[in-house]
Amino acid sequence: MNGDRERIRIALHGGAGDAPRDGDYRAHRDALARIVHAAWRQLQDGADALDVAESAVAALEDCPLFNAGTGAVLNADGAAELDAAVMRGSDRACGAVAAVTRLRNPVRAARAVMAHSPHVLLAGAGAERFAESRGLALIDPKELIVPERARQLAAAQSAGETRLDHDRGTVGAVARDALGHLAAATSTGGMTNKLPGRVGDAPVIGAGTFADDRSAAISCTGAGEAFIRAGFGHCVHAQLVRGETGLAQACSAALAEVSRYGGRGGCIAIDRHGSMALPYTTGAMFRAWCDGTGTVAVAIFDE
Ligand code: ASP
């Protein structure tokens, strides 16, 4: 393997929200630990940061416990309408899909947009048609729906609210490989009872997803509109390249911007030196990480 194993870092999130402290999250913790460990092993074997971030997010999409892919939250029409993005830090190559309903793994479609189209972001039916042309199967949208999401939608609709998911969140991964390259990937169903066609921050490059080897890889979760208004990922990047501050402070300052626009949430980030930050302004954020030693850490609350 080329490069230095000590450079390897991986962090995942499974969403920020206000999960009740007395909930039973053993399955969430187990899934995060399993997926972060598999990702670390891939990095140790010399895998590329973007490949690892993409596959970790695809594994989280397949896990019905999280708000992405199978098990995503439902929009006001009762459909799981999904957004995802990937970004590579070495050359800022990136790809994203928005408002897709017939893809099991939107993050794979985002990667295909990056690798095989001249575009950065494809939405809706066109994104699905493009993904199919790249060999990704189109599924029955109902296959993405789990019963609990229908109950959540009914509750949100009777309260007349658009809700951030409390205990099953958006997913994301940031990775630094043995060559020191950075990458980020994010995938989400967005918010319960959102208007059909609403697109959140996850597929907006420079907002919910960003990576640049000169600064950091960042994946966000929380109230997407406020993260877009804050230009979250680019806000962290700009502070780092100007040398104004370190990673943790840059993320806190960007979260303060999100608060200014009326939102809460969190992010996972790895900078070019290998520092990691996983801050959040909600009551909880599902998260897992591994440093260069491969020790797996999983947390939900301030613990
Ligand atoms: N950021 C996502 C969105 O607004 C939601 C989440 O993170 O739970 O689409």
Side-chain angles (χ1 to χ4, degrees):
M1 180 183 72
N2 295 322
D4 182 350
R5 190 183 125 166
E6 291 299 306
R7 292 193 178 120
I8 292 171
R9 302 283 185 280
I10 176 80
L12 310 180
H13 70 74
D18 292 320
R21 275 211 174 245
D22 56 0
D24 179 359
Y25 304 111
R26 278 172 297 183
H28 298 74
R29 289 180 188 274
D30 288 351
L32 287 166
R34 173 175 54 79
I35 295 167
V36 84
H37 183 62
W40 189 83
R41 293 281 297 269
Q42 289 168 1
L43 288 167
Q44 196 189 22
D45 289 344
D48 168 75
L50 185 61
D51 290 341
V52 172
E54 177 192 338
S55 12
V57 165
L60 289 162
E61 286 175 339
D62 289 340
C63 180
L65 296 171
F66 299 102
N67 172 18
T70 306
V73 299
L74 305 181
N75 71 9
D77 285 348
E81 211 174 45
L82 311 176
D83 300 334
V86 297
M87 187 162 185
R88 181 166 67 201
S90 58
D91 60 355
R92 287 213 200 178
C94 48
V97 295
V100 293
T101 58
R102 296 197 297 159
L103 294 170
R104 193 175 300 287
N105 291 112
V107 73
R108 301 269 188 224
R111 179 70 184 267
V113 170
M114 176 191 132
H116 302 292
S117 88
H119 306 304
V120 163
L121 172 58
L122 292 179
E128 291 165 356
R129 209 184 319 149
F130 172 76
E132 188 180 30
S133 78
R134 297 303 315 173
L136 299 173
L138 295 187
I139 59 167
D140 180 340
K142 291 197 183 66
E143 288 180 37
L144 298 168
I145 298 176
V146 300
E148 197 190 327
R149 296 306 196 188
R151 282 194 292 276
Q152 278 181 343
L153 175 63
Q157 287 183 330
S158 59
E161 289 173 2
T162 304
R163 289 183 173 166
L164 248 197
D165 191 26
H166 288 307
D167 55 4
R168 302 183 185 207
T170 289
V171 306
V174 287
R176 182 168 183 259
D177 64 27
L179 297 174
H181 294 307
L182 297 169
T186 314
S187 182
T188 186
M191 296 168 88
T192 302
N193 201 27
K194 65 185 180 181
L195 287 178
R198 177 265 188 188
V199 174
D201 59 314
V204 178
I205 299 296
T209 305
F210 193 76
D212 187 320
D213 281 2
R214 296 171 299 164
S215 56
I218 302 133
S219 170
C220 300
T221 167
E225 283 73 7
F227 280 77
I228 293 171
R229 292 171 73 189
F232 193 98
H234 196 269
C235 175
V236 172
H237 164 80
Q239 295 174 72
L240 295 177
V241 290
R242 283 192 225 117
E244 286 169 358
T245 177
L247 183 68
Q249 271 182 294
C251 291
S252 300
L255 281 172
E257 285 288 297
V258 170
S259 303
R260 176 186 304 198
Y261 301 119
R264 294 185 305 145
C267 74
I268 52 171
I270 302 175
D271 75 10
R272 68 193 178 98
H273 306 294
S275 296
M276 291 194 273
L278 300 90
Y280 54 95
T281 53
T282 42
M285 183 171 79
F286 292 79
R287 59 202 190 277
W289 65 98
C290 274
D291 61 14
T293 67
T295 308
V296 170
V298 178
I300 299 173
F301 302 100
D302 185 7
E303 53 194 79

